[in-house]
Amino acid sequence: MIREALEYLIGLGNTRIENVGNRIFSTQKIYAVEEPTPATIQVHSLSGLFDYLQSKFDGDYPLMVHIKSPTEVIAFTSINRDSNRDEFIKASAMLPSFSFDRWYDTEDFNIKLQSCFVKNEDRDIMLKVVGNIKEEAVSTIGDNGVSQSVVAKTGVATVANVVVPNPVVLKPYRTFVEVDQPESEFIFRMQSGPKCALFEADGGAWKLQAMKNIKAYLERQLETEIQSRKLVIIA
């Protein structure tokens, strides 16, 4: 029945289909009419994602939630007859901007430390060092290849050599703010100017931890949907 219908439609344009061996050929190119898929809803938080999933706004479909990266999560259906999926919603994290492997002057670096990193002990130590560096003495920086020392204010009217902490353990905002930010090691370096830079030193292991944190968060929030076996979460 389907073959006859195709032959009829093709015949309207004077197109023929032929069997050659075990293959089918046509004299003109024809195109399959694919099943339509919905436009993807874009949100910028995990809260928006699970609010949508709990609402069942577009129906009570079985869904898979895929944590693609520390900053992107999507929810989609199983494949349709054309092997396409309905990707209902995508959450993309909105994060403050900080460039690793880039040199900042001390004022900008001070601001970035306070606005792009979660408060912890090493961040506070770095703020003290960066905020008190004597600009006229940066040429006296000492470096043994691992740690550095700079001339910095140590009191109201005194200066002294201060060791720059290295490596430092920090928690930059790198994933959705609803989950705990992964903690990892960084190399903190300074150069004349004075300028400061951070270099990642964990080989990207923080990404796996961030995705685990997202998965744990969504499993808590969507426990009912998971138990109903209509929702699967993968990372």
Side-chain angles (χ1 to χ4, degrees), residues 130-195:
V130 173
N132 290 305
I133 293 173
K134 291 285 291 181
E135 235 179 283
E136 63 272 21
V138 294
S139 60
T140 65
I141 289 176
D143 191 350
N144 64 7
V146 178
S147 61
Q148 296 176 300
S149 62
V150 297
V151 174
K153 296 177 184 176
T154 58
V156 176
T158 60
V159 296
N161 285 335
V162 176
V163 176
V164 176
N166 212 4
V168 289
V169 178
L170 300 171
K171 299 176 72 173
Y173 289 104
R174 294 181 287 186
T175 187
F176 293 91
V177 295
E178 292 99 331
V179 303
D180 187 36
Q181 301 300 310
E183 190 174 70
S184 53
E185 287 190 345
F186 297 87
I187 305 301
F188 176 41
R189 301 294 289 176
M190 302 186 68
Q191 64 179 204
S192 58
K195 294 181 180 179

Side-chain angles (χ1 to χ4, degrees), residues 6 12 31 49 53 69 76 93 105 126 152 171 192 233:
L6 285 172
L12 295 178
Y31 300 90
L49 177 75
L53 294 176
S69 74
F76 52 81
D105 64 49
M126 291 171 63
K171 299 176 72 173
S192 58
I233 301 175

Side-chain angles (χ1 to χ4, degrees), residues 5-130:
L6 285 172
E7 288 177 335
Y8 171 76
L9 291 172
I10 292 171
L12 295 178
N14 297 320
T15 302
R16 300 193 328 273
I17 59 173
E18 300 287 347
N19 287 309
V20 180
N22 60 353
R23 299 188 63 188
I24 300 175
F25 293 85
S26 69
T27 57
Q28 292 188 30
K29 193 161 187 172
I30 58 177
Y31 300 90
V33 178
E34 294 189 349
E35 187 175 334
T37 56
T40 304
I41 298 172
Q42 303 279 346
V43 296
H44 296 288
S45 68
L46 295 178
S47 302
L49 177 75
F50 74 71
D51 283 346
Y52 169 81
L53 294 176
Q54 286 181 327
S55 74
K56 299 180 176 59
F57 182 80
D58 289 314
D60 193 12
Y61 297 97
L63 293 173
M64 177 170 284
V65 176
H66 182 199
I67 303 164
K68 295 182 68 175
S69 74
T71 59
E72 186 176 343
V73 182
I74 60 172
F76 52 81
T77 63
S78 58
I79 58 175
N80 61 22
R81 69 183 185 199
D82 300 311
S83 297
N84 294 325
R85 303 181 189 277
D86 292 343
E87 189 176 294
F88 283 142
I89 188 167
K90 178 168 74 172
S92 302
M94 295 181 67
L95 302 172
S97 173
F98 183 86
S99 298
F100 297 101
D101 304 346
R102 173 192 161 186
W103 295 97
Y104 289 91
D105 64 49
T106 54
E107 184 63 24
D108 287 340
F109 192 76
N110 185 300
I111 293 170
K112 290 292 186 181
L113 277 179
Q114 296 184 68
S115 61
C116 301
F117 293 77
V118 178
K119 177 181 173 64
N120 70 356
E121 183 179 356
D122 279 5
R123 191 204 72 157
D124 291 346
I125 292 172
M126 291 171 63
L127 283 172
K128 281 185 179 180
V129 173
V130 173

